[in-house]
């Protein structure tokens, strides 16, 4: 039977539409929450060794702000922060490890950018540190401004925003520089300290940590005053698993909300009889917030008992390095850290 032309065209259009939809429809539905619960552990990628963010202590236990975020998510989802299995990742491999499912979440001084969400399939659940890129030099060079680095060699890690930001900034300021790209972070730092480079460039918080880590020799190094980029450092998961995304995002917001409410790891149990509606919802006594996320009623309490509130996490990990809260203060204290209402 010969179909009329309009019918043929209509059928062709439907077939093409179906064909175009096939790849997306064929993608397997992800269930990170189910997989993590079945495994009994959250696998979280961090930096191999960055003081203040993630570095192993003498017992091999990772400590730092990023490591604490791993434990906070594990406490929310599994009820125990110690069920976070922390895996060190390199700058080059971190995204592949997340995309492949080798890790469940990336909490690794990683900048939230359009390309990382748009082309790498990542979803950033929040910004745990608002940072910016800078430079560190030896004080013996007599340099007090990044604009004096014309013609300098700069040690950096490849595969990060650092390399691109530096190239843009030097070009914009009509300055020249020679990048020295070293993938291994410890080797890159050693190259700088040994004099192979005139300067080292990365996020300003990491530079402060580098300087602090020199102990009695810290005064021999100076972090220059210029901040050349915006670096919103965040926690990321694979795009598409929105159930898991909500849990990670609201874990971050729970840390901020606890600080707003004055809830700490040490005192949270003393608020059990509080009549404050916000605290009652936070404790899981009213509102069914845990049920909405597929978690236990006291999930937020477990987060705070595991790592403390955001202020405690900051004071334990970054304040000792001499890094001021600044814009990372709560909105009520002049900063930009702001959590939507938990209700």
């Amino acid at each position: 039977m010969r179909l009329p032309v309009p019918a043929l065209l209509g059928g062709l259009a439907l077939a093409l539409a179906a064909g175009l939809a096939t790849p997306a429809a064929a993608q397997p539905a992800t269930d990170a929450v189910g997989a993590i619960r079945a495994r009994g552990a959250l696998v979280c990628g961090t930096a191999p060794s960055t003081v203040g963010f993630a570095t192993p202590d003498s017992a091999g236990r990772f400590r730092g702000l990023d490591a604490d975020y791993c434990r906070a998510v594990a406490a929310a989802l599994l009820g125990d922060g110690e069920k976070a299995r922390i895996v060190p990742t390199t700058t080059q491999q971190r995204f592949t490890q997340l995309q492949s499912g080798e890790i469940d979440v990336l909490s690794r001084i990683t900048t939230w950018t359009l390309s990382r969400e748009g082309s790498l399939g990542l979803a950033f659940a929040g910004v745990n540190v608002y940072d910016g890129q800078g430079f560190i030099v030896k004080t013996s060079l007599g340099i007090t401004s990044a604009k004096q680095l014309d013609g300098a060699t700069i040690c950096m890690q490849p595969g990060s925003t650092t390399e691109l930001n530096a190239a843009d900034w030097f070009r914009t300021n009509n300055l020249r520089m020679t990048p020295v790209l070293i993938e291994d972070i410890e080797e890159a730092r050693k190259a700088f300290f040994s004099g192979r480079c005139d300067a080292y460039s990365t996020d300003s918080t990491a530079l402060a940590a580098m300087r602090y880590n020199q102990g009695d020799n810290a005064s021999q190094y100076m972090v220059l005053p210029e901040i050349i980029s915006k670096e919103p450092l965040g926690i990321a998961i694979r795009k598409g698993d929105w159930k898991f995304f909500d849990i990670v995002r609201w874990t971050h917001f729970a840390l901020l909300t606890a600080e707003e409410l004055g809830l700490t790891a040490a005192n949270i149990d003393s608020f059990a009889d509080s009549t404050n509606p916000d605290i009652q919802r936070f404790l899981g006594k009213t509102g069914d917030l845990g049920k909405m996320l597929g978690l236990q009623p006291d999930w937020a309490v477990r987060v705070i008992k595991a790592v403390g509130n955001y202020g405690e996490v900051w004071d334990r990990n970054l304040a000792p390095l001499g890094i001021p809260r600044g814009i990372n203060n709560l909105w009520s204290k002049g900063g930009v850290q702001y959590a939507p209402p938990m209700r």
Side-chain angles (χ1 to χ4, degrees), residues 142-149 169 222 224-226:
I143 292 175
T144 57
S145 167
K147 291 187 177 179
Q148 295 174 275
L149 290 172
W169 187 83
M222 176 183 181
L224 299 177
E226 288 86 357

Side-chain angles (χ1 to χ4, degrees), residues 57-72:
D57 62 16
S58 58
R61 175 183 169 84
F62 274 84
R63 298 187 181 277
L65 183 140
D66 282 338
D68 278 347
Y69 264 77
C70 294
R71 296 187 179 98

Side-chain angles (χ1 to χ4, degrees), residues 246-260:
D246 285 344
I247 292 171
V248 177
R249 174 164 61 178
W250 282 97
T251 296
H252 168 59
F253 289 149
L255 295 171
L256 297 176
T257 301
E259 185 179 5
E260 288 184 14

Side-chain angles (χ1 to χ4, degrees), residues 11-339:
L12 179 59
L14 287 172
L16 287 171
L20 290 172
T22 298
Q27 291 178 353
T30 58
D31 181 16
V33 172
I36 292 165
R37 283 179 171 153
R39 188 192 307 130
L42 172 84
V43 183
C44 187
T46 66
S49 181
T50 299
V51 175
F53 288 90
T55 190
D57 62 16
S58 58
R61 175 183 169 84
F62 274 84
R63 298 187 181 277
L65 183 140
D66 282 338
D68 278 347
Y69 264 77
C70 294
R71 296 187 179 98
V73 175
L77 182 52
L78 300 173
D80 184 354
E82 294 309 306
K83 290 185 177 180
R85 186 187 303 162
I86 297 176
V87 176
T89 65
T90 68
T91 302
Q92 296 277 35
Q93 296 174 341
R94 54 184 164 166
F95 301 130
T96 303
Q97 288 175 285
L98 182 58
Q99 291 165 331
S100 68
E102 184 177 339
I103 58 177
D104 302 310
V105 62
L106 183 67
S107 179
R108 189 202 183 280
I109 47 177
T110 297
T111 303
W112 183 352
T113 69
L114 186 154
S115 60
R116 288 172 177 175
E117 278 201 335
S119 67
L120 297 183
L122 310 186
F124 284 81
V127 176
N128 53 19
V129 177
Y130 288 91
D131 205 348
Q133 185 175 331
F135 301 91
I136 188 171
V137 297
K138 292 182 178 179
T139 53
S140 59
L141 290 180
I143 292 175
T144 57
S145 167
K147 291 187 177 179
Q148 295 174 275
L149 290 172
D150 190 20
T153 52
I154 314 291
C155 275
M156 294 178 280
Q157 284 187 279
S160 70
T161 56
T162 302
E163 183 182 356
L164 299 176
N165 290 337
D168 287 348
W169 187 83
F170 274 85
R171 188 181 304 112
T172 299
N173 287 278
N174 295 316
L175 303 174
R176 298 172 296 104
M177 66 98 178
T178 300
V180 179
L181 303 177
I182 304 173
E183 181 177 350
D184 183 86
I185 190 169
E186 291 301 328
E187 291 302 317
R189 291 168 181 164
K190 288 178 183 177
F192 166 68
F193 289 123
S194 68
R196 183 176 168 188
C197 317
D198 299 311
Y200 184 95
S201 186
T202 189
D203 298 336
S204 62
T205 51
L207 295 178
M210 278 179 62
R211 183 177 184 276
Y212 173 85
N213 223 25
Q214 297 308 299
D216 294 339
N217 295 324
S219 61
Q220 297 179 20
Y221 302 93
M222 176 183 181
V223 177
L224 299 177
E226 288 86 357
I227 299 297
I228 68 170
S229 70
K230 293 186 294 183
E231 303 295 328
L233 308 180
I235 41 180
I237 70 163
R238 291 181 295 280
K239 188 175 288 186
D241 195 335
W242 302 117
K243 181 179 179 181
F244 185 43
F245 177 86
D246 285 344
I247 292 171
V248 177
R249 174 164 61 178
W250 282 97
T251 296
H252 168 59
F253 289 149
L255 295 171
L256 297 176
T257 301
E259 185 179 5
E260 288 184 14
L261 296 175
L263 305 176
T264 69
N267 73 16
I268 194 166
D269 284 338
S270 69
F271 286 84
D273 297 324
S274 172
T275 57
N276 182 321
D278 290 328
I279 292 177
Q280 286 288 298
R281 285 190 290 270
F282 191 94
L283 300 181
K285 296 181 178 296
T286 62
D288 283 336
L289 302 185
K291 183 178 180 180
M292 296 175 191
L293 293 173
L295 302 175
Q296 294 297 314
D298 65 344
W299 67 276
V301 174
R302 299 185 187 196
V303 168
I304 303 310
K305 285 186 175 182
V307 301
N309 64 39
Y310 182 81
E312 291 180 277
V313 172
W314 184 284
D315 290 344
R316 180 169 57 248
N317 298 304
L318 298 184
L321 307 182
I323 301 172
R325 279 284 292 268
I327 62 172
N328 286 289
N329 264 307
L330 296 178
W331 65 279
S332 56
K333 296 181 180 179
V336 298
Q337 289 290 6
Y338 186 106

